Amino acid sequence: MPSADNSLGFVFCGGGPAALGPVIAAARKGRLDDLLDRGIALVEPGPIGPGGLAHYRISANSLGGPFLECLDGLSDSAPFAALRDLPETRRLRAHSDEHPPLSVVAPFLTRLGAVVSDLLAAHPRCTVVPEAVAAIELADDGVVVTTGSGRELTAERTVIATGGRPLSGFGTAGIVPGLDLLPHRDKVWHSESFIDARKPLPPVRGKAVVVGGSHSAWSVVHLLAPEADEITVIHRSGLRLFYNSPDEARADGYPFDPVLDVCPTNGRVNRYGGLRGRAHELARAALRLPGTGPAPARLVQVTDPAALEAAQRALAEADVIVMANGFEANLPPIHRTDGTPVSAAVGPTGTVVTAQGHLVDVHGTAHPRLLAYGLGAGLAPSAEVGGEPSYTRRADGVWLYQHDIGGIVLDELLHNVTTTGEIHA
């Protein structure tokens, strides 16, 4: 492969919110020229900016205001300044204190993506490639990304932010010892089938069971409610609700751990793991907290034999079962120069990456030339990104991509790789 001195600095695989995050972070930090001067090829076959959320049938799990915070400090910086008064921005701003439908968020992100695309296209060392990524070849001195047309892009490193796909084996997965979906696999669907409008909606009738307690699980409850006769939510741990402060949670009658469930950087309860918006309302009602209406679903927390029996009965009687256990990264094929495949490690919370975003393979080797994050491969909470100590899943979200996580990835990109491209755990 060509020397990295004669190649791009980076190939960004994907053009959604995660891929654009480091560029936005660089603009906010006054380091955009440093990043672009290294040379970037952004490879994305679809619209740049919104990613998959443009197709989601649900509302955001954050307020509309935080989506616009990426413009803070950029209002006088061309070409970002023009974004502030666009119709798409004004429409989103009208939802600043609400949880907007993602159909309102996506047009703003599309406009933001167009600005980033124009910046790349105007830079002599950058380019936008409107194709899909076909494969990635990893060598000691760089990477080669091959597009669908066979075009080869040589770079020092690649950023892989190509979205997520349901965790492998979701239809037969174990929930807890003694409770799994294998006997019911013919009626199991992943939450993606309900949330993503590109997927045909599964038939809904009679009794429904949702497995999981996340935002996507409760979004499915909301989508099922008009059709299902009865909904049961099976979850392994207590439902986590978001609150701006411990006092707010106590006033609502919500039990929480004052140390493990509180983010040390901003004092919010269940900052990452907590349900917000419509999901918060539905879960509050299911928990029968003060002032709520009829419960939208029956809760079964599988922590004792009686609950395990109730869960088994609910699964057996269900007409449809929805698994909301998350995603793994939708990675393109990756191989070494000798053709040996590089297989990513996947854990219960998705594809495994280091605190800097380095992809970890099934042998426990981290690859600094392969940065993977976004849906299905978020960075674990850390001192840099904050979060409640009890949260053990991955941190992701548009705001994080443009701020904390985007800043971490930006810092990593602007440091040269001085190893052979591997770190052994």
Side-chain angles (χ1 to χ4, degrees), residues 329-363:
N330 187 27
L331 300 174
I334 305 172
H335 63 273
R336 298 179 184 274
T337 51
D338 63 2
T340 304
V342 177
S343 300
V346 179
T349 62
T351 301
V352 180
V353 300
T354 70
Q356 294 75 37
H358 302 162
L359 184 70
V360 178
D361 67 25
V362 292
H363 303 294

Short mmCIF file of all heavy atoms in Angstrom, two decimals, residues 329-363:
data_model
loop_
_atom_site.label_atom_id
_atom_site.label_comp_id
_atom_site.label_asym_id
_atom_site.label_seq_id
_atom_site.Cartn_x
_atom_site.Cartn_y
_atom_site.Cartn_z
N ALA A 329 -22.25 -2.74 16.35
CA ALA A 329 -21.87 -1.90 15.22
C ALA A 329 -22.07 -2.64 13.90
O ALA A 329 -21.76 -3.83 13.80
CB ALA A 329 -20.43 -1.45 15.36
N ASN A 330 -22.58 -1.93 12.93
CA ASN A 330 -22.77 -2.49 11.59
C ASN A 330 -21.47 -2.31 10.80
O ASN A 330 -21.37 -1.46 9.91
CB ASN A 330 -23.94 -1.80 10.90
CG ASN A 330 -24.30 -2.45 9.59
OD1 ASN A 330 -24.06 -3.64 9.38
ND2 ASN A 330 -24.87 -1.67 8.69
N LEU A 331 -20.47 -3.11 11.13
CA LEU A 331 -19.14 -2.93 10.57
C LEU A 331 -19.03 -3.53 9.17
O LEU A 331 -19.58 -4.61 8.90
CB LEU A 331 -18.09 -3.60 11.46
CG LEU A 331 -17.99 -3.11 12.90
CD1 LEU A 331 -17.00 -3.98 13.67
CD2 LEU A 331 -17.56 -1.66 12.95
N PRO A 332 -18.27 -2.88 8.28
CA PRO A 332 -17.95 -3.52 7.00
C PRO A 332 -16.92 -4.62 7.25
O PRO A 332 -16.30 -4.67 8.32
CB PRO A 332 -17.35 -2.37 6.19
CG PRO A 332 -16.79 -1.44 7.21
CD PRO A 332 -17.69 -1.53 8.41
N PRO A 333 -16.70 -5.52 6.30
CA PRO A 333 -15.67 -6.54 6.47
C PRO A 333 -14.29 -5.89 6.66
O PRO A 333 -13.93 -4.96 5.93
CB PRO A 333 -15.72 -7.33 5.16
CG PRO A 333 -17.09 -7.07 4.60
CD PRO A 333 -17.43 -5.68 5.03
N ILE A 334 -13.53 -6.39 7.63
CA ILE A 334 -12.19 -5.88 7.92
C ILE A 334 -11.22 -7.04 7.83
O ILE A 334 -11.47 -8.12 8.38
CB ILE A 334 -12.13 -5.23 9.32
CG1 ILE A 334 -13.19 -4.14 9.46
CG2 ILE A 334 -10.74 -4.65 9.58
CD1 ILE A 334 -13.32 -3.59 10.87
N HIS A 335 -10.09 -6.83 7.15
CA HIS A 335 -9.09 -7.88 7.04
C HIS A 335 -7.69 -7.27 7.03
O HIS A 335 -7.52 -6.08 6.77
CB HIS A 335 -9.31 -8.71 5.77
CG HIS A 335 -9.17 -7.90 4.51
ND1 HIS A 335 -10.22 -7.21 3.95
CD2 HIS A 335 -8.11 -7.68 3.70
CE1 HIS A 335 -9.82 -6.59 2.86
NE2 HIS A 335 -8.54 -6.85 2.68
N ARG A 336 -6.70 -8.11 7.32
CA ARG A 336 -5.31 -7.70 7.24
C ARG A 336 -4.82 -7.83 5.80
O ARG A 336 -5.52 -8.37 4.93
CB ARG A 336 -4.46 -8.54 8.18
CG ARG A 336 -4.84 -8.40 9.65
CD ARG A 336 -3.96 -9.28 10.52
NE ARG A 336 -4.37 -9.23 11.91
CZ ARG A 336 -3.97 -8.32 12.79
NH1 ARG A 336 -3.14 -7.35 12.38
NH2 ARG A 336 -4.37 -8.35 14.04
N THR A 337 -3.60 -7.37 5.55
CA THR A 337 -3.07 -7.41 4.20
C THR A 337 -2.91 -8.83 3.68
O THR A 337 -2.93 -9.05 2.46
CB THR A 337 -1.71 -6.70 4.15
OG1 THR A 337 -0.85 -7.22 5.17
CG2 THR A 337 -1.87 -5.20 4.36
N ASP A 338 -2.77 -9.81 4.58
CA ASP A 338 -2.66 -11.19 4.13
C ASP A 338 -4.01 -11.88 3.98
O ASP A 338 -4.09 -13.07 3.71
CB ASP A 338 -1.77 -12.01 5.08
CG ASP A 338 -2.36 -12.11 6.49
OD1 ASP A 338 -3.47 -11.58 6.73
OD2 ASP A 338 -1.71 -12.72 7.37
N GLY A 339 -5.09 -11.11 4.16
CA GLY A 339 -6.43 -11.65 4.00
C GLY A 339 -7.06 -12.17 5.27
O GLY A 339 -8.25 -12.52 5.29
N THR A 340 -6.30 -12.22 6.36
CA THR A 340 -6.85 -12.69 7.64
C THR A 340 -7.92 -11.73 8.13
O THR A 340 -7.68 -10.51 8.24
CB THR A 340 -5.75 -12.79 8.70
OG1 THR A 340 -4.70 -13.63 8.21
CG2 THR A 340 -6.30 -13.34 10.00
N PRO A 341 -9.11 -12.22 8.44
CA PRO A 341 -10.16 -11.31 8.91
C PRO A 341 -9.88 -10.76 10.30
O PRO A 341 -9.25 -11.44 11.13
CB PRO A 341 -11.41 -12.19 8.92
CG PRO A 341 -10.91 -13.59 9.02
CD PRO A 341 -9.59 -13.61 8.31
N VAL A 342 -10.31 -9.54 10.53
CA VAL A 342 -10.27 -8.93 11.85
C VAL A 342 -11.71 -8.90 12.36
O VAL A 342 -12.54 -8.14 11.86
CB VAL A 342 -9.69 -7.50 11.81
CG1 VAL A 342 -9.74 -6.85 13.19
CG2 VAL A 342 -8.26 -7.52 11.27
N SER A 343 -12.00 -9.76 13.33
CA SER A 343 -13.36 -9.89 13.85
C SER A 343 -13.49 -9.11 15.14
O SER A 343 -12.70 -9.31 16.07
CB SER A 343 -13.70 -11.37 14.09
OG SER A 343 -13.62 -12.10 12.88
N ALA A 344 -14.47 -8.23 15.20
CA ALA A 344 -14.65 -7.38 16.38
C ALA A 344 -15.23 -8.17 17.54
O ALA A 344 -16.07 -9.06 17.36
CB ALA A 344 -15.58 -6.22 16.04
N ALA A 345 -14.79 -7.84 18.73
CA ALA A 345 -15.38 -8.41 19.94
C ALA A 345 -16.72 -7.75 20.20
O ALA A 345 -16.88 -6.54 20.03
CB ALA A 345 -14.45 -8.19 21.13
N VAL A 346 -17.70 -8.55 20.58
CA VAL A 346 -19.04 -8.05 20.88
C VAL A 346 -19.43 -8.54 22.26
O VAL A 346 -19.33 -9.74 22.56
CB VAL A 346 -20.07 -8.52 19.83
CG1 VAL A 346 -21.47 -8.01 20.19
CG2 VAL A 346 -19.68 -8.04 18.44
N GLY A 347 -19.83 -7.63 23.12
CA GLY A 347 -20.28 -7.97 24.46
C GLY A 347 -21.76 -7.71 24.62
O GLY A 347 -22.46 -7.37 23.66
N PRO A 348 -22.26 -7.83 25.85
CA PRO A 348 -23.69 -7.63 26.10
C PRO A 348 -24.19 -6.23 25.75
O PRO A 348 -25.38 -6.04 25.52
CB PRO A 348 -23.82 -7.90 27.60
CG PRO A 348 -22.62 -8.72 27.96
CD PRO A 348 -21.53 -8.26 27.05
N THR A 349 -23.27 -5.25 25.72
CA THR A 349 -23.70 -3.88 25.43
C THR A 349 -23.30 -3.43 24.03
O THR A 349 -23.41 -2.25 23.71
CB THR A 349 -23.10 -2.90 26.47
OG1 THR A 349 -21.67 -2.95 26.39
CG2 THR A 349 -23.53 -3.28 27.87
N GLY A 350 -22.82 -4.35 23.19
CA GLY A 350 -22.48 -3.99 21.82
C GLY A 350 -21.03 -4.26 21.50
O GLY A 350 -20.32 -4.95 22.23
N THR A 351 -20.59 -3.71 20.38
CA THR A 351 -19.22 -3.90 19.92
C THR A 351 -18.24 -3.24 20.89
O THR A 351 -18.47 -2.12 21.35
CB THR A 351 -19.05 -3.30 18.51
OG1 THR A 351 -19.98 -3.96 17.64
CG2 THR A 351 -17.65 -3.49 17.98
N VAL A 352 -17.15 -3.92 21.19
CA VAL A 352 -16.22 -3.48 22.21
C VAL A 352 -15.19 -2.51 21.62
O VAL A 352 -14.55 -2.82 20.62
CB VAL A 352 -15.51 -4.68 22.86
CG1 VAL A 352 -14.53 -4.20 23.95
CG2 VAL A 352 -16.53 -5.65 23.45
N VAL A 353 -15.06 -1.36 22.25
CA VAL A 353 -14.03 -0.39 21.90
C VAL A 353 -13.39 0.12 23.18
O VAL A 353 -13.96 -0.01 24.27
CB VAL A 353 -14.59 0.80 21.08
CG1 VAL A 353 -15.23 0.31 19.78
CG2 VAL A 353 -15.61 1.60 21.89
N THR A 354 -12.20 0.72 23.07
CA THR A 354 -11.52 1.26 24.22
C THR A 354 -12.07 2.64 24.57
O THR A 354 -12.93 3.18 23.86
CB THR A 354 -10.01 1.39 23.96
OG1 THR A 354 -9.80 2.43 22.99
CG2 THR A 354 -9.42 0.07 23.45
N ALA A 355 -11.54 3.24 25.62
CA ALA A 355 -11.96 4.58 26.03
C ALA A 355 -11.62 5.63 24.99
O ALA A 355 -12.17 6.73 25.00
CB ALA A 355 -11.33 4.94 27.36
N GLN A 356 -10.68 5.31 24.07
CA GLN A 356 -10.33 6.23 22.99
C GLN A 356 -11.06 5.90 21.69
O GLN A 356 -10.86 6.56 20.68
CB GLN A 356 -8.81 6.20 22.73
CG GLN A 356 -7.96 6.73 23.87
CD GLN A 356 -7.88 5.72 25.01
OE1 GLN A 356 -7.81 4.52 24.79
NE2 GLN A 356 -7.88 6.23 26.23
N GLY A 357 -11.86 4.83 21.70
CA GLY A 357 -12.60 4.44 20.52
C GLY A 357 -11.91 3.41 19.66
O GLY A 357 -12.40 3.08 18.57
N HIS A 358 -10.77 2.86 20.09
CA HIS A 358 -10.08 1.85 19.30
C HIS A 358 -10.91 0.56 19.27
O HIS A 358 -11.35 0.07 20.31
CB HIS A 358 -8.71 1.53 19.90
CG HIS A 358 -7.81 2.71 20.03
ND1 HIS A 358 -6.70 2.72 20.86
CD2 HIS A 358 -7.86 3.93 19.45
CE1 HIS A 358 -6.10 3.89 20.78
NE2 HIS A 358 -6.79 4.65 19.93
N LEU A 359 -11.08 0.01 18.09
CA LEU A 359 -11.81 -1.24 17.94
C LEU A 359 -11.02 -2.38 18.58
O LEU A 359 -9.82 -2.52 18.37
CB LEU A 359 -12.05 -1.54 16.46
CG LEU A 359 -12.88 -2.78 16.15
CD1 LEU A 359 -14.33 -2.56 16.54
CD2 LEU A 359 -12.77 -3.14 14.67
N VAL A 360 -11.71 -3.23 19.35
CA VAL A 360 -11.10 -4.37 20.01
C VAL A 360 -11.57 -5.63 19.29
O VAL A 360 -12.77 -5.82 19.07
CB VAL A 360 -11.48 -4.44 21.50
CG1 VAL A 360 -10.88 -5.68 22.16
CG2 VAL A 360 -11.01 -3.17 22.22
N ASP A 361 -10.61 -6.51 18.94
CA ASP A 361 -11.00 -7.72 18.23
C ASP A 361 -11.26 -8.87 19.21
O ASP A 361 -11.13 -8.72 20.43
CB ASP A 361 -9.96 -8.11 17.17
CG ASP A 361 -8.61 -8.53 17.75
OD1 ASP A 361 -8.56 -8.99 18.91
OD2 ASP A 361 -7.60 -8.41 17.03
N VAL A 362 -11.66 -10.02 18.67
CA VAL A 362 -12.07 -11.16 19.50
C VAL A 362 -10.90 -11.73 20.31
O VAL A 362 -11.12 -12.50 21.25
CB VAL A 362 -12.70 -12.27 18.64
CG1 VAL A 362 -14.03 -11.82 18.08
CG2 VAL A 362 -11.76 -12.71 17.52
N HIS A 363 -9.68 -11.34 19.96
CA HIS A 363 -8.52 -11.81 20.71
C HIS A 363 -8.11 -10.82 21.80
O HIS A 363 -7.08 -11.02 22.46
CB HIS A 363 -7.34 -12.05 19.76
CG HIS A 363 -7.65 -13.02 18.65
ND1 HIS A 363 -7.90 -14.35 18.88
CD2 HIS A 363 -7.78 -12.82 17.30
CE1 HIS A 363 -8.16 -14.96 17.72
NE2 HIS A 363 -8.11 -14.05 16.76
#
